[in-house]
Amino acid sequence: MALLEVERLSVNYGAIAALEGVSLEVEAGELVTLIGANGAGKSTTLRAISRLLRPLRGGLRFGGQNLLGLPPDRVVGLGIAHCPEGRQVLSRMNVEDNLRLGAYLRRDKEVAADLERQYQLFPRLRERRRQLGGTLSGGEQQMLAIARALMSRPKLLLLDEPSLGLAPLIVREIFDILAELHRQGVSILLVEQNAQLAMRRSDRTYVLEAGRILLSGRSSELMGDPRVQQAYLGTGAA
Amino acid sequence: MTAGYLLQQLANGLSNGAVYAIFALGYTLVFSILDILNFTQGAVFAVGAYLTYSLMTGHIGGGQLHLHLGLRLPLWLAFTAGALISGLLGVAIEFLVFRPLRRRRADPLLALVASIGLATLLVNALQLIYGAQNHNFPFHALGSLPPVVYLGPVIVRSIQLIILGVTLLALAALWLFSRSRYGKALFAVAENPAVASLLGISVSRYIVWTFFLSGLLGGIAGTLVGLSYSISPYFGQNYGLIGLAVIVLGGLGDIPGAVVGGLVMGVIEALTVGVLDFYISGVGSGYQDAISFGILLLVLLFRPQGLLGRKLVQRV
Amino acid sequence: MKLERIALLTALLALPAALAQTVSSPIPIGAALAETSNVALLGQEEVVGVKLAQSYVNSHGGVDGTPIKVILEDTGGNVTGAINAFQLLMNKDHVVGIVGPTLSQQAFGADPIAVQAKVPVIGPSDTANGIPEIGPYVSRVSAPVSAYAPDALKAVLSFHKGITRVAQFYAENDAFSKSEAGTFRQAFKKVGLNLVDVEKTKTGQSNFTSQITTALAKHPQLIEISTLAADGANLVKQLRQFGYTGQIIGGNGLNTPAIFPVCQKYCGGIYIAEAYSPSLKNAVNSWLGQHYRAQYHAAVPQLTAQAFTGVLVFANALSRVAASAHQKIVGMNLAALRVKLNQAVQTTTNFVTPLGAISIYKVPNGGGELNQKDFYVAQIHMNSSGKSGSFVYVK
């Protein structure tokens, strides 16, 4: 049984279908990438998993438990951390308060230790710990959003476009960190525009097109698929 | 015009401003979280006062109803119970009005109008039960406390000092709360409910607590103001408009700003009367509202973020 | 628009009915008073008055031997209610005249309908300016403030020699308070007082501390208050708490025991100008005092006496109509009688009532205005607990 099971999920925005029968799985410890064009339904998939959206129909299970019917805050309690698109840090709160809120549901004594771990992972955040979230640069906000998601000690991390609008150097830094998390055994479902980068680092890939899964398989194999190369990697024969 | 006279007017302004401040606190609390103006606050204020009155005197009615409760509570107990029930009334209002409207993603204007409607309903219910006449707390409700105290050359009504004290206490409690884990979670709900829920914060539970707190504050304020003057079904509505001005003055949703705004509003009113009427009879008291709201307009033009408002840095 | 249409309809309905109608026995006199709503606070005192008046008239030979019957209709607290009550009394109960309504504001709405239908009306407690000017069929037995404010002021000054400085507080957004305050300012001038300060308040205002500080800085020896009851009572409380020891004279707003629970012990000493005194010595007032006390164990309130007087004036006028026509009232054509009755009401001269000897005279282009000789001043005395008190007549 996979850690996350999404089964024929359909989501509508009003009368418009955003997802139509999407099925995907994430095994424990896996790094899975979801790629696709703008508007293909990548963010919608993540938002449906974290229960920000109500699906029309379909199944949603995490660790064998049915997620349908749960409010988003309960999903967090089960071990899913969703790091949303657009680096949604709390702009009126400082870095450290943002991070502490990431551990809102935790009552254990290791929160301080985890805070220290995040600062080790993202030394830039330690320098800016008293600064308001809204005053950070784009890359720093992205780091803060990821670190905040990690503060809940998730079993599964949902990451939405971590590279969006960032300088290449920072993108590399962030992906290095993702690789490190992956090595530590955190399961990750990554939505990414930069398909090449994401596929190279991930175990498996799903290709989403117009609300449906078009292709799926091991990332290394899919990278050789001409359809993927042409549409998403920009390396296929023109 | 002597210094003592001005000092007295300043004290008058601060003590009346304390009433505005405590009223505005409940108002701004809901606004800071939900960005809606909850016009039931004035009605909850009146209900709170009547609850304490009834629990203390054992008497319900005066209008279409005459009931005698089997019990009479001492002031502090009646006060506490009245405030708690007002808090629950706040929660009921959230469940009956605001939550269903939010579910339907109704326009905030609709929530405003709905709250005005419910406020009218509550006030009319009070009139039906208690009648339109004024009710008064027993004269010795405050025990052996003297009606006024002398602070140097200045006279202040004791109850007014108590109101100022309770306002500052409420502010301190809110400040302590804001430093806590729960307070920060509440701020997260206020800033971005979706993000807050992704952090595991139950948004709906925090909203319910916000309504409870705001109802509680409304009930406390109503009883205190009722103790200071007298109560009638409509006495909360007089504070509705001024409370709105106060929270705008303090910066919408700014909690310490509401207190500062209330005190400033009180002082402006007192000085308007105190200075203008001193020279020409009836001018200051006649144009009090025009002058206070004129100043409000100037504040809006030059400091739209309110008196205390810090400009938010928002990078996107 | 709406009023006009109602008036027209009433006239159309009433006219043929009244033409055919004759006066029945006992002679029906209408009373349109506020028995419900918050105005009932005043209305209920008037209801007692008209009922007592009926038994007074009937126990003193009725109208030329025919008993009268007071028919009550509730006006509620608003204009619409008053209009409905008037229509019922005129068209269903076929009354000869109407005592009512309770408030001036209701009178401005409902009286024109009676004027249209040529039904005489006597206002028991409508003290605003311009009531008789509503039309030729409107009279009143309630004196306007301007009639008694100067007298009351003179009385207070005679009790407290040496008062020269007066300050005034009035509710600028209440029409009655504002006009009353204007009347008092004229009276200040007439008696030679120096008006040192005027403070405006609003209805529903409860905190007056800054106005009080300003007024007290001018060292008044007398303060006149024209506000609504609860506001004025809060004002008095705060005046006393802020150390004011001078005299206070209250307008009509403070003329009610409803202020006692608000200002409690601080109400003591307030002077109130009154149009009625229970201690006035004449036969009819003694009868009223005795019968009221037997039922309610208290002194007769002003509104009770005024409503009582309204019915009495009708009964007296009816007797004069009967005498001059050498004919019994019962059986007369109703419409014709109403016109004659109205003329008789407005020629009431030196008629002895609980309000003293009163006359009603016709104003140009209007109805009947009251000419009352005796006015009174009461002072509030609170008992030692500060919970209840009484109006004690000092003049």
Side-chain angles (χ1 to χ4, degrees):
Chain A
M1 188 183 61
L3 181 65
L4 175 74
E5 298 166 289
V6 177
E7 220 180 319
R8 290 195 294 279
L9 201 66
S10 295
V11 175
N12 271 28
Y13 290 128
I16 300 155
L19 294 184
E20 288 181 272
V22 167
S23 298
L24 60 83
E25 290 186 344
V26 178
E27 299 284 347
E30 249 192 330
L31 199 171
V32 175
T33 302
L34 189 55
I35 62 171
N38 261 339
K42 306 185 299 284
S43 295
T44 304
T45 309
L46 295 196
R47 291 166 67 82
I49 295 168
S50 60
R51 298 284 303 145
L52 284 175
L53 291 177
R54 288 173 195 199
L56 205 59
R57 57 183 160 266
L60 198 55
R61 268 186 304 281
F62 181 71
Q65 182 171 356
N66 186 4
L67 296 185
L68 295 179
L70 296 184
D73 53 284
R74 294 280 307 280
V75 172
V76 180
L78 293 176
I80 298 180
H82 181 175
C83 182
E85 188 184 2
R87 306 181 288 271
Q88 305 237 4
V89 302
L90 294 164
S91 59
R92 285 179 254 167
M93 233 174 263
N94 70 25
V95 168
E96 188 150 322
D97 284 342
N98 263 282
L99 289 174
R100 283 188 186 280
L101 273 180
Y104 173 78
L105 288 178
R106 287 176 55 188
R107 305 255 173 198
D108 57 279
K109 296 214 158 69
E110 288 168 45
V111 173
D114 273 7
L115 193 64
E116 186 54 33
R117 200 163 301 146
Q118 304 315 325
Y119 284 147
Q120 272 167 18
L121 214 50
F122 304 96
R124 206 89 63 86
L125 294 182
R126 190 200 299 275
E127 294 164 28
R128 308 232 185 283
R129 59 200 284 180
R130 299 276 165 240
Q131 220 167 301
L132 291 186
T135 67
L136 299 180
S137 73
E140 288 160 353
Q141 289 193 7
Q142 189 62 66
M143 292 176 194
L144 177 56
I146 296 170
R148 189 180 61 188
L150 292 174
M151 283 300 288
S152 68
R153 285 203 173 173
K155 295 179 192 135
L156 172 65
L157 182 61
L158 307 177
L159 263 178
D160 200 346
E161 305 275 13
S163 76
L164 196 71
L166 296 186
L169 211 65
I170 297 170
V171 173
R172 254 214 3 236
E173 208 174 312
I174 285 175
F175 272 86
D176 285 344
I177 288 163
L178 289 186
E180 167 64 25
L181 290 172
H182 183 36
R183 256 197 307 283
Q184 288 172 10
V186 179
S187 318
I188 300 172
L189 178 55
L190 172 67
V191 160
E192 196 35 83
Q193 290 245 302
N194 189 337
Q196 181 140 25
L197 189 60
M199 290 177 77
R200 210 160 47 216
R201 304 282 184 121
S202 62
D203 303 315
R204 287 190 300 117
T205 296
Y206 289 89
V207 179
L208 201 57
E209 205 172 272
R212 295 167 195 272
I213 299 285
L214 188 71
L215 291 167
S216 64
R218 304 221 52 87
S219 301
S220 50
E221 287 164 22
L222 276 185
M223 282 179 87
D225 189 305
R227 286 172 295 182
V228 174
Q229 284 182 344
Q230 193 179 0
Y232 302 103
L233 300 177
T235 54
Chain B
M1 209 184 308
T2 62
Y5 173 81
L6 277 178
L7 225 65
Q8 177 65 54
Q9 288 292 19
L10 204 65
N12 293 342
L14 285 174
S15 63
N16 197 33
V19 176
Y20 296 158
I22 201 167
F23 182 84
L25 262 183
Y27 234 163
T28 208
L29 200 60
V30 169
F31 188 87
S32 71
I33 307 304
L34 290 176
D35 283 343
I36 48 166
L37 284 170
N38 174 13
F39 264 102
T40 60
Q41 192 66 16
V44 172
F45 177 89
V47 170
Y50 275 98
L51 281 170
T52 309
Y53 169 83
S54 278
L55 291 170
M56 198 179 163
T57 60
H59 177 243
I60 297 178
Q64 304 296 315
L65 189 75
H66 283 282
L67 275 181
H68 285 276
L69 298 172
L71 78 173
R72 280 186 195 177
L73 301 179
L75 176 66
W76 66 271
L77 208 59
F79 192 178
T80 312
L84 288 175
I85 302 173
S86 304
L88 293 179
L89 178 62
V91 173
I93 289 167
E94 147 73 356
F95 276 104
L96 288 174
V97 180
F98 292 111
R99 180 167 296 190
L101 285 173
R102 265 201 319 279
R103 282 254 161 86
R104 262 173 258 160
R105 297 178 199 286
D107 193 277
L109 189 66
L110 215 62
L112 175 84
V113 174
S115 74
I116 292 175
L118 186 63
T120 313
L121 207 73
L122 283 171
V123 165
N124 282 322
L126 279 181
Q127 184 177 347
L128 197 71
I129 298 169
Y130 290 95
Q133 70 267 38
N134 283 62
H135 283 71
N136 262 76
F137 283 93
F139 205 48
H140 299 293
L142 291 174
S144 54
L145 212 66
V148 290
V149 288
Y150 292 84
L151 307 171
V154 170
I155 311 175
V156 184
R157 301 178 69 215
S158 315
I159 179 69
Q160 227 83 10
L161 268 187
I162 295 175
I163 293 175
L164 187 60
V166 170
T167 307
L168 295 178
L169 212 68
L171 187 64
L174 281 174
W175 183 78
L176 277 178
F177 172 74
S178 75
R179 313 268 302 165
S180 73
R181 168 170 170 265
Y182 300 104
K184 284 177 178 153
L186 187 63
F187 286 143
V189 170
E191 185 178 332
N192 192 331
V195 166
S197 67
L198 289 182
L199 299 176
I201 298 165
S202 170
V203 173
S204 57
R205 193 176 308 160
Y206 273 90
I207 291 176
V208 166
W209 275 104
T210 303
F211 274 96
F212 179 77
L213 273 181
S214 123
L216 188 82
L217 279 171
I220 290 174
T223 299
L224 286 172
V225 175
L227 275 169
S228 177
Y229 312 118
S230 54
I231 57 179
S232 71
Y234 294 93
F235 92 120
Q237 289 191 339
N238 293 326
Y239 292 91
L241 188 65
I242 201 94
L244 190 62
V246 162
I247 64 171
V248 170
L249 196 62
L252 280 168
D254 189 325
I255 289 168
V259 172
V260 172
L263 296 178
V264 167
M265 191 55 118
V267 169
I268 289 173
E269 286 186 350
L271 291 184
T272 303
V273 172
V275 176
L276 293 180
D277 275 18
F278 191 83
Y279 294 110
I280 317 161
S281 283
V283 169
S285 54
Y287 294 99
Q288 197 177 31
D289 284 353
I291 292 166
S292 332
F293 280 86
I295 290 174
L296 178 72
L297 205 65
L298 287 179
V299 170
L300 278 179
L301 285 175
F302 294 104
R303 284 194 68 86
Q305 70 274 33
L307 287 175
L308 290 189
R310 295 139 288 224
K311 223 172 183 167
L312 293 174
V313 181
Q314 252 164 347
R315 284 217 219 152
V316 182
Chain C
M1 278 302 253
K2 199 175 160 199
L3 280 184
E4 279 167 24
R5 208 183 298 162
I6 292 171
L8 195 70
L9 201 70
T10 310
L12 285 175
L13 282 172
L15 218 60
L19 277 175
Q21 195 71 38
T22 55
V23 180
S24 57
S25 176
I27 302 168
I29 297 176
L33 301 170
E35 294 176 85
T36 59
S37 87
N38 55 346
V39 187
L41 220 60
L42 309 172
Q44 68 205 15
E45 291 183 353
E46 296 178 332
V47 170
V48 173
V50 296
K51 282 183 179 160
L52 282 172
Q54 175 184 309
S55 51
Y56 174 82
V57 170
N58 291 343
S59 66
H60 289 74
V63 173
D64 232 4
T66 313
I68 61 163
K69 181 175 176 21
V70 173
I71 299 171
L72 277 165
E73 291 291 351
D74 179 21
T75 60
N78 52 35
V79 172
T80 330
I83 291 172
N84 288 337
F86 267 51
Q87 283 178 323
L88 283 173
L89 289 172
M90 293 186 302
N91 306 327
K92 181 181 133 269
D93 301 320
H94 305 297
V95 299
V96 295
I98 297 172
V99 176
T102 301
L103 293 185
S104 298
Q105 194 175 329
Q106 293 177 317
F108 287 120
D111 286 0
I113 288 163
V115 172
Q116 201 87 350
K118 294 192 166 59
V119 176
V121 174
I122 296 179
S125 50
D126 312 319
T127 49
N129 286 327
I131 293 287
E133 284 76 10
I134 293 172
Y137 285 82
V138 180
S139 307
R140 65 173 158 190
V141 291
S142 39
V145 190
S146 54
Y148 56 90
D151 277 356
L153 212 51
K154 272 185 210 148
V156 173
L157 293 183
S158 71
F159 302 142
H160 304 278
K161 304 282 183 212
I163 289 180
T164 55
R165 301 168 70 82
V166 61
Q168 180 177 60
F169 285 73
Y170 74 91
E172 61 163 346
N173 61 341
D174 175 55
F176 180 77
S177 299
K178 199 172 172 176
S179 87
E180 185 186 79
T183 307
F184 266 107
R185 281 198 298 276
Q186 285 169 2
F188 296 153
K189 208 175 274 174
K190 211 182 271 179
V191 300
L193 282 174
N194 177 17
L195 180 62
V196 293
D197 192 46
V198 175
E199 294 296 328
K200 297 174 185 170
T201 68
K202 277 170 208 66
T203 54
Q205 184 175 342
S206 43
N207 183 308
F208 300 94
T209 52
S210 48
Q211 277 106 328
I212 287 170
T213 300
T214 308
L216 294 191
K218 314 282 179 68
H219 308 292
Q221 297 155 297
L222 173 67
I223 289 177
E224 189 272 318
I225 297 174
S226 291
T227 61
L228 301 186
D231 308 354
N234 266 314
L235 171 56
V236 168
K237 175 159 101 178
Q238 289 166 39
L239 268 172
R240 294 305 188 197
Q241 289 182 342
F242 267 51
Y244 176 66
T245 53
Q247 302 307 318
I248 296 175
I249 181 164
N252 222 18
L254 291 179
N255 189 6
T256 159
I259 66 170
F260 296 163
V262 181
C263 45
Q264 304 188 16
K265 69 175 183 198
Y266 299 115
C267 306
I270 301 174
Y271 288 102
I272 310 278
E274 300 260 3
Y276 170 72
S277 165
S279 45
L280 175 72
K281 294 274 178 285
N282 67 32
V284 57
N285 197 38
S286 303
W287 186 97
L288 175 61
Q290 205 181 327
H291 286 76
Y292 187 89
R293 187 165 291 280
Q295 256 178 292
Y296 302 98
H297 314 288
V300 182
Q302 175 174 318
L303 291 181
T304 303
Q306 286 176 327
F308 182 96
T309 300
V311 175
L312 222 56
V313 166
F314 268 136
N316 170 267
L318 283 168
S319 308
R320 281 182 284 126
V321 170
S324 68
H326 306 289
Q327 192 187 339
K328 284 264 182 204
I329 297 291
V330 176
M332 279 190 189
N333 175 295
L334 181 59
L337 169 75
R338 283 169 173 175
V339 175
K340 281 188 200 138
L341 176 59
N342 190 52
Q343 285 164 357
V345 164
Q346 291 172 8
T347 51
T348 300
T349 322
N350 280 326
F351 175 50
V352 178
T353 70
L355 305 178
I358 60 166
S359 301
I360 293 174
Y361 62 94
K362 190 169 163 53
V363 298
N365 301 320
E369 180 62 290
L370 174 72
N371 186 355
Q372 180 176 344
K373 292 199 182 66
D374 302 301
F375 292 105
Y376 312 91
V377 179
Q379 190 175 28
I380 294 176
H381 284 205
M382 299 301 291
N383 65 12
S384 54
S385 73
K387 275 183 190 146
S388 63
S390 54
F391 290 83
V392 175
Y393 288 81
V394 292
K395 178 191 162 275

Coordinates of all heavy atoms in Angstrom, one line a residue, chain A residues 163-201:
Chain A
S163 N 10.7 26.7 -7.4 CA 11.7 27.4 -8.2 C 11.2 28.7 -8.8 O 11.9 29.4 -9.4 CB 12.3 26.5 -9.3 OG 11.4 26.4 -10.3
L164 N 9.8 28.9 -8.7 CA 9.2 29.9 -9.5 C 9.8 31.3 -9.2 O 9.8 31.8 -8.1 CB 7.7 29.9 -9.2 CG 6.8 30.7 -10.1 CD1 6.7 30.0 -11.5 CD2 5.4 30.9 -9.5
G165 N 10.3 31.9 -10.2 CA 10.7 33.3 -10.1 C 12.0 33.5 -9.4 O 12.4 34.6 -9.0
L166 N 12.8 32.4 -9.2 CA 14.0 32.6 -8.4 C 15.2 32.5 -9.3 O 15.2 31.9 -10.4 CB 14.1 31.4 -7.3 CG 13.0 31.4 -6.3 CD1 13.3 30.3 -5.2 CD2 12.9 32.8 -5.6
A167 N 16.3 33.1 -8.8 CA 17.6 33.1 -9.6 C 18.1 31.7 -9.6 O 17.9 30.9 -8.6 CB 18.6 34.0 -8.9
P168 N 18.8 31.3 -10.7 CA 19.2 29.9 -10.8 C 20.1 29.4 -9.7 O 19.9 28.2 -9.3 CB 20.1 30.0 -12.1 CG 19.6 31.1 -12.8 CD 19.1 32.1 -11.8
L169 N 20.9 30.3 -9.1 CA 21.7 29.9 -8.0 C 20.9 29.4 -6.8 O 21.2 28.4 -6.2 CB 22.6 31.0 -7.6 CG 24.0 30.7 -7.1 CD1 24.8 30.0 -8.2 CD2 24.8 31.9 -6.6
I170 N 19.9 30.2 -6.5 CA 19.0 29.9 -5.4 C 18.2 28.6 -5.7 O 18.0 27.8 -4.8 CB 18.1 31.1 -5.1 CG1 19.0 32.3 -4.7 CG2 17.1 30.7 -4.0 CD1 18.3 33.6 -4.6
V171 N 17.8 28.5 -6.9 CA 17.0 27.3 -7.3 C 17.9 26.0 -7.0 O 17.4 25.1 -6.4 CB 16.6 27.3 -8.8 CG1 16.0 26.0 -9.2 CG2 15.6 28.5 -9.0
R172 N 19.1 26.1 -7.4 CA 20.0 25.0 -7.1 C 20.1 24.7 -5.7 O 20.0 23.5 -5.2 CB 21.4 25.2 -7.7 CG 21.6 24.4 -9.0 CD 22.9 23.9 -9.3 NE 24.0 24.1 -8.4 CZ 25.2 24.7 -8.8 NH1 25.3 25.1 -10.0 NH2 26.2 24.7 -7.9
E173 N 20.3 25.8 -4.9 CA 20.4 25.6 -3.5 C 19.2 24.9 -2.9 O 19.3 24.0 -2.1 CB 20.5 27.0 -2.8 CG 21.2 27.1 -1.5 CD 21.4 28.5 -1.1 OE1 21.8 29.4 -1.9 OE2 21.1 28.8 0.1
I174 N 18.0 25.3 -3.4 CA 16.8 24.7 -2.9 C 16.6 23.3 -3.2 O 16.3 22.4 -2.4 CB 15.5 25.5 -3.3 CG1 15.5 26.8 -2.5 CG2 14.2 24.8 -3.2 CD1 14.4 27.8 -2.9
F175 N 17.0 23.0 -4.5 CA 16.9 21.6 -4.9 C 18.0 20.7 -4.2 O 17.7 19.5 -4.0 CB 17.1 21.4 -6.4 CG 15.7 21.6 -7.1 CD1 15.2 22.8 -7.4 CD2 14.9 20.4 -7.3 CE1 13.9 22.9 -8.0 CE2 13.7 20.5 -7.9 CZ 13.2 21.8 -8.2
D176 N 19.1 21.3 -3.8 CA 20.1 20.5 -3.0 C 19.4 20.1 -1.7 O 19.6 19.0 -1.2 CB 21.3 21.3 -2.8 CG 22.2 21.4 -4.1 OD1 21.9 20.6 -5.0 OD2 23.1 22.3 -4.1
I177 N 18.7 21.1 -1.2 CA 18.1 20.8 0.1 C 17.0 19.7 0.0 O 16.9 18.8 0.9 CB 17.5 22.1 0.7 CG1 18.7 23.0 1.2 CG2 16.6 21.9 1.9 CD1 18.3 24.5 1.4
L178 N 16.2 19.8 -1.1 CA 15.2 18.8 -1.3 C 15.9 17.4 -1.4 O 15.4 16.4 -0.9 CB 14.4 19.1 -2.6 CG 13.5 20.3 -2.6 CD1 12.7 20.3 -3.9 CD2 12.5 20.1 -1.4
A179 N 17.0 17.4 -2.1 CA 17.7 16.1 -2.3 C 18.1 15.6 -0.9 O 18.0 14.4 -0.6 CB 18.9 16.3 -3.2
E180 N 18.6 16.5 0.0 CA 19.0 16.1 1.3 C 17.8 15.6 2.1 O 17.9 14.6 2.8 CB 19.6 17.4 2.0 CG 19.8 17.3 3.5 CD 20.9 16.3 3.9 OE1 21.7 16.0 3.0 OE2 20.8 15.7 5.0
L181 N 16.7 16.3 2.0 CA 15.5 15.8 2.7 C 15.1 14.4 2.2 O 14.7 13.5 3.0 CB 14.3 16.8 2.4 CG 14.4 18.1 3.1 CD1 13.3 19.0 2.6 CD2 14.3 18.0 4.6
H182 N 15.2 14.2 0.9 CA 14.8 12.9 0.3 C 15.7 11.8 0.8 O 15.3 10.8 1.2 CB 15.0 13.1 -1.2 CG 14.7 11.8 -2.0 ND1 13.6 11.0 -1.7 CD2 15.2 11.3 -3.1 CE1 13.6 10.0 -2.5 NE2 14.5 10.1 -3.4
R183 N 17.0 12.2 1.0 CA 18.0 11.2 1.5 C 17.6 10.9 3.0 O 17.7 9.7 3.4 CB 19.4 11.8 1.5 CG 20.3 11.2 0.4 CD 21.8 11.5 0.7 NE 22.1 12.9 1.0 CZ 22.1 13.8 0.0 NH1 21.9 13.5 -1.3 NH2 22.4 15.0 0.3
Q184 N 17.0 11.9 3.7 CA 16.6 11.6 5.1 C 15.3 10.8 5.2 O 14.9 10.5 6.3 CB 16.4 13.0 5.8 CG 17.7 13.7 6.1 CD 17.5 15.1 6.6 OE1 16.3 15.5 7.0 NE2 18.5 15.9 6.7
G185 N 14.7 10.6 4.0 CA 13.5 9.7 4.0 C 12.2 10.4 4.0 O 11.2 9.7 4.2
V186 N 12.2 11.7 3.8 CA 10.9 12.4 3.7 C 10.3 12.1 2.3 O 11.0 12.2 1.3 CB 11.1 13.9 3.9 CG1 9.8 14.7 3.8 CG2 11.7 14.2 5.2
S187 N 9.0 11.7 2.3 CA 8.4 11.6 1.0 C 8.0 13.0 0.5 O 7.5 13.8 1.2 CB 7.1 10.7 1.1 OG 7.3 9.7 2.0
I188 N 8.2 13.1 -0.8 CA 7.9 14.5 -1.4 C 7.1 14.3 -2.7 O 7.4 13.5 -3.5 CB 9.2 15.2 -1.7 CG1 10.1 15.4 -0.4 CG2 8.9 16.6 -2.4 CD1 11.4 16.0 -0.7
L189 N 6.0 15.1 -2.8 CA 5.3 15.3 -4.1 C 5.6 16.7 -4.5 O 5.2 17.6 -3.9 CB 3.8 15.0 -3.9 CG 3.0 15.2 -5.1 CD1 3.5 14.3 -6.3 CD2 1.5 14.8 -4.8
L190 N 6.3 16.8 -5.6 CA 6.8 18.0 -6.1 C 6.1 18.4 -7.4 O 6.1 17.7 -8.3 CB 8.4 17.9 -6.3 CG 9.1 19.0 -7.0 CD1 9.2 20.2 -6.1 CD2 10.5 18.6 -7.3
V191 N 5.6 19.7 -7.4 CA 5.1 20.2 -8.6 C 6.0 21.3 -9.1 O 6.5 22.1 -8.3 CB 3.7 20.9 -8.3 CG1 3.3 21.9 -9.4 CG2 2.6 19.9 -8.2
E192 N 6.4 21.1 -10.4 CA 7.5 22.0 -10.8 C 7.4 22.3 -12.3 O 7.0 21.5 -13.1 CB 8.8 21.2 -10.6 CG 10.1 22.0 -10.6 CD 10.1 23.5 -10.1 OE1 10.2 23.7 -8.9 OE2 10.0 24.4 -11.0
Q193 N 7.6 23.6 -12.6 CA 7.7 24.0 -14.0 C 9.0 23.6 -14.7 O 9.0 23.2 -15.8 CB 7.6 25.6 -14.1 CG 6.2 26.1 -13.7 CD 5.6 26.7 -14.9 OE1 6.1 27.7 -15.5 NE2 4.4 26.2 -15.3
N194 N 10.0 23.7 -13.9 CA 11.4 23.4 -14.4 C 11.5 21.8 -14.4 O 12.0 21.2 -13.5 CB 12.4 24.0 -13.5 CG 13.8 23.8 -14.0 OD1 14.1 22.9 -14.9 ND2 14.7 24.7 -13.6
A195 N 10.9 21.3 -15.5 CA 10.7 19.8 -15.5 C 12.1 19.1 -15.5 O 12.2 18.0 -14.8 CB 10.0 19.4 -16.8
Q196 N 13.0 19.6 -16.2 CA 14.3 19.0 -16.3 C 14.9 18.7 -14.9 O 15.3 17.6 -14.6 CB 15.2 19.8 -17.2 CG 16.6 19.2 -17.4 CD 17.1 19.4 -18.8 OE1 16.6 20.4 -19.5 NE2 17.9 18.6 -19.3
L197 N 15.0 19.9 -14.2 CA 15.6 19.8 -12.9 C 14.8 18.9 -12.0 O 15.4 18.0 -11.3 CB 15.5 21.3 -12.3 CG 16.3 21.5 -11.0 CD1 17.8 21.3 -11.2 CD2 16.1 23.0 -10.6
A198 N 13.5 19.0 -12.0 CA 12.7 18.2 -11.1 C 12.8 16.7 -11.5 O 12.9 15.8 -10.6 CB 11.2 18.6 -11.2
M199 N 12.8 16.4 -12.8 CA 12.8 14.9 -13.1 C 14.2 14.3 -12.8 O 14.3 13.2 -12.4 CB 12.5 14.8 -14.6 CG 11.0 15.1 -14.9 SD 10.6 15.0 -16.6 CE 10.5 13.2 -16.8
R200 N 15.2 15.1 -13.0 CA 16.5 14.6 -12.7 C 16.7 14.2 -11.2 O 17.4 13.3 -10.9 CB 17.6 15.6 -13.1 CG 18.9 15.0 -13.5 CD 19.7 15.9 -14.4 NE 19.9 17.2 -13.7 CZ 19.9 18.4 -14.4 NH1 19.9 18.4 -15.8 NH2 20.0 19.5 -13.8
R201 N 16.0 14.9 -10.4 CA 16.2 14.7 -8.9 C 15.1 13.7 -8.4 O 15.2 13.3 -7.2 CB 16.0 16.0 -8.1 CG 16.9 17.1 -8.6 CD 18.3 16.8 -8.0 NE 19.2 17.9 -8.3 CZ 19.8 18.7 -7.4 NH1 19.7 18.4 -6.1 NH2 20.6 19.6 -7.8

